[in-house]
């Protein structure tokens, strides 16, 4: 076993002295260690002797014709080995950073997340990893989970929904789950409504694989209502455009509809139902997958951003 460390002092010990002590323990004696290192045995004896004199301890003792490490000697060897392992891990990380300054990072993203959350996170990421190509793949919640599980993307950001043993998820409260109507709609003056108030309206649903639709279906089942939508579309932007034209009622979070809401083209009516209040978002990665430094950095940034958003919205809503 060959360990290439400099002779600089660390924590009061020279790396060379600790290395020699390690080699003595590894090879079973001073002479055998010297032969393995290609040096004179007196060099090892002198270095070990200096350690013993400096700290007033016995590191080696004779056992027949062998030199055996004492308890404190073994403690120093373990210290050396642990330091060596840490050094190796850090060097591996540095090599990862060096080799992955250029590369690709895939993210599966649900509609409504890129503009409202990823935009701020990506600014910091791009400064840290300017040459990494970030590839976005959109889809419904179930599709994004499948992308992450199958390693088609590194990370996922989508509405909460379901559980998968292959997926590690950090779940957060999402922006309010609302009905979205034109400002000209008869209910536009309401702040909160019950779903029952919408049963006779022209409703815009998403496909069942979408997380928002799963929440909506759960509310409908809980209320024991029979509802037939007037439209189904697989783009949030299409649902927003239909609602803004006064042709129906769409359902999604206020984050997903932020552009239309800020422009005054839609009004958000919060759904008054326990299931709607459970609406969540999640950042996901595959269990057991070792992420690249770039992906690990983005994972931490996404989690921190989601935590900040939840803390801010919780304070605004008076949540303890």
């Amino acid at each position: 076993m060959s360990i290439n460390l400099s002779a600089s002092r660390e924590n009061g010990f020279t790396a060379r002295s600790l290395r020699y002590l390690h080699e003595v323990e590894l090879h079973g004696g001073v002479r055998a260690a010297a032969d393995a290192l290609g040096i004179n045995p007196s060099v090892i004896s002198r270095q070990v002797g200096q350690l013993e004199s400096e700290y007033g301890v016995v590191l080696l003792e004779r056992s027949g014709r062998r030199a055996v490490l004492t308890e404190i000697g073994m403690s120093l060897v373990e210290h050396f080995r642990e330091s060596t392992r840490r050094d190796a891990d850090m060097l591996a990380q540095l090599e990862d950073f060096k080799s992955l300054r250029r590369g690709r990072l895939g993210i599966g993203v649900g509609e409504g997340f890129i503009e409202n959350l990823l935009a701020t996170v990506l600014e910091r990421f791009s400064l840290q990893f300017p040459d990494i190509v970030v590839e976005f793949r959109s889809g419904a919640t179930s599709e994004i989970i499948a992308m992450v599980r199958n390693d088609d993307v590194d990370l996922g950001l989508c509405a909460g929904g379901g559980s998968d043993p292959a997926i590690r998820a950090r779940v957060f409260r999402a922006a309010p789950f609302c009905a979205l109507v034109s400002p000209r709609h008869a209910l536009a003056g309401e702040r909160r409504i019950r779903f029952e108030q919408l049963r006779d309206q022209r409703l815009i649903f998403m496909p069942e694989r979408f997380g928002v639709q799963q929440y909506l279906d759960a509310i409908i089942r809980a209320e024991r209502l029979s509802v037939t939508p007037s439209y189904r579309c697989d783009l949030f932007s299409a649902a927003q455009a239909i609602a803004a034209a006064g042709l129906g009622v769409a359902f999604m979070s206020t984050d997903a509809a932020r552009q239309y809401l800020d422009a005054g083209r839609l009004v958000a009516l919060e759904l008054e139902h326990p299931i709607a209040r459970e609406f969540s978002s999640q950042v996901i990665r595959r269990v057991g997958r070792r992420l690249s430094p770039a992906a690990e950095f983005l994972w931490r940034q996404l989690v921190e951003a989601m935590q900040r958003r939840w803390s801010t919205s919780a304070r605004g809503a008076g949540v303890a």
Side-chain angles (χ1 to χ4, degrees):
M1 179 178 181
S2 177
I3 301 172
N4 185 20
L5 288 177
S6 69
S8 61
R9 294 183 68 88
E10 293 182 357
N11 298 327
F13 308 112
T14 64
R16 182 185 292 117
S17 296
L18 296 184
R19 179 193 179 191
Y20 288 163
L21 205 59
H22 167 268
E23 294 292 334
V24 170
E25 194 278 331
L26 182 66
H27 296 286
V30 172
R31 183 170 294 278
D35 290 342
L37 294 171
I39 60 177
N40 193 295
S42 64
V43 175
I44 295 179
S45 297
R46 184 165 58 251
Q47 288 286 331
V48 173
Q50 287 176 356
L51 270 180
E52 291 179 325
S53 297
E54 185 172 355
Y55 294 100
V57 294
V58 177
L59 302 176
L60 290 175
E61 56 188 9
R62 287 286 174 184
S63 177
R65 301 184 64 181
R66 286 170 52 94
V68 180
L69 270 69
T70 62
E71 182 178 353
I72 187 62
M74 282 301 303
S75 295
L76 286 174
V77 167
E78 287 303 318
H79 167 78
F80 172 80
R81 288 172 176 166
E82 180 59 32
S83 297
T84 302
R85 284 192 290 267
R86 288 199 303 269
D87 288 345
D89 287 344
M90 181 54 65
L91 286 172
Q93 289 185 43
L94 290 173
E95 284 300 317
D96 281 345
F97 271 108
K98 180 181 177 181
S99 63
L100 287 170
R101 284 291 172 180
R102 298 183 183 276
R104 167 196 166 278
L105 173 60
I107 312 174
V109 188
E111 271 196 273
F113 286 98
I114 292 180
E115 182 175 349
N116 295 290
L117 179 60
L118 277 182
T120 54
V121 172
L122 280 179
E123 183 177 0
R124 184 176 297 179
F125 176 85
S126 297
L127 290 173
Q128 185 77 17
F129 297 92
D131 297 317
I132 293 287
V133 176
V134 181
E135 297 181 358
F136 293 103
R137 295 183 60 180
S138 61
T141 297
S142 59
E143 294 168 334
I144 292 170
I145 290 174
M147 291 179 203
V148 173
R149 185 178 57 243
N150 298 331
D151 289 336
D152 296 325
V153 296
D154 300 278
L155 304 172
L157 178 59
C158 55
S163 60
D164 188 317
I167 296 297
R168 175 185 171 190
R170 292 293 302 273
V171 181
F172 304 90
R173 276 284 298 275
F177 183 53
C178 296
L180 301 172
V181 299
S182 163
R184 302 181 302 277
H185 195 280
L187 294 172
E190 302 287 339
R191 182 180 175 188
R192 293 187 178 90
I193 59 170
R194 301 184 308 278
F195 187 85
E196 186 177 353
Q197 294 174 257
L198 301 171
R199 63 186 306 174
D200 296 326
Q201 300 289 324
R202 295 178 63 80
L203 305 181
I204 308 166
F205 283 7
M206 309 300 290
E208 293 179 357
R209 67 181 187 276
F210 279 67
V212 291
Q213 189 60 45
Q214 293 166 16
Y215 276 90
L216 190 59
D217 289 342
I219 293 172
I220 293 170
R221 286 194 300 270
E223 294 295 306
R224 298 181 180 179
L225 298 173
S226 178
V227 178
T228 301
S230 297
Y231 312 91
R232 275 196 189 272
C233 53
D234 62 359
L235 289 174
F236 282 19
S237 56
Q240 292 164 17
I242 295 169
L247 300 176
V249 181
F251 301 90
M252 63 192 72
S253 74
T254 53
D255 270 353
R258 181 52 54 199
Q259 272 193 333
Y260 274 79
L261 292 172
D262 288 348
R265 298 181 62 190
L266 285 174
V267 174
L269 313 177
E270 192 168 340
L271 290 173
E272 190 62 54
H273 196 279
I275 293 175
R277 289 193 289 271
E278 293 172 2
F279 188 59
S280 62
S281 302
Q282 58 182 347
V283 185
I284 60 176
R285 61 195 286 183
R286 181 174 64 76
V287 171
R289 178 172 182 175
R290 182 175 181 266
L291 296 178
S292 69
E296 191 69 51
F297 178 87
L298 186 57
W299 165 267
R300 292 196 302 269
Q301 292 297 310
L302 286 171
V303 169
E304 289 172 8
M306 297 288 272
Q307 287 173 332
R308 286 195 300 270
R309 288 174 69 86
W310 161 235
S311 298
T312 301
S313 61
R315 286 195 300 270
V319 177

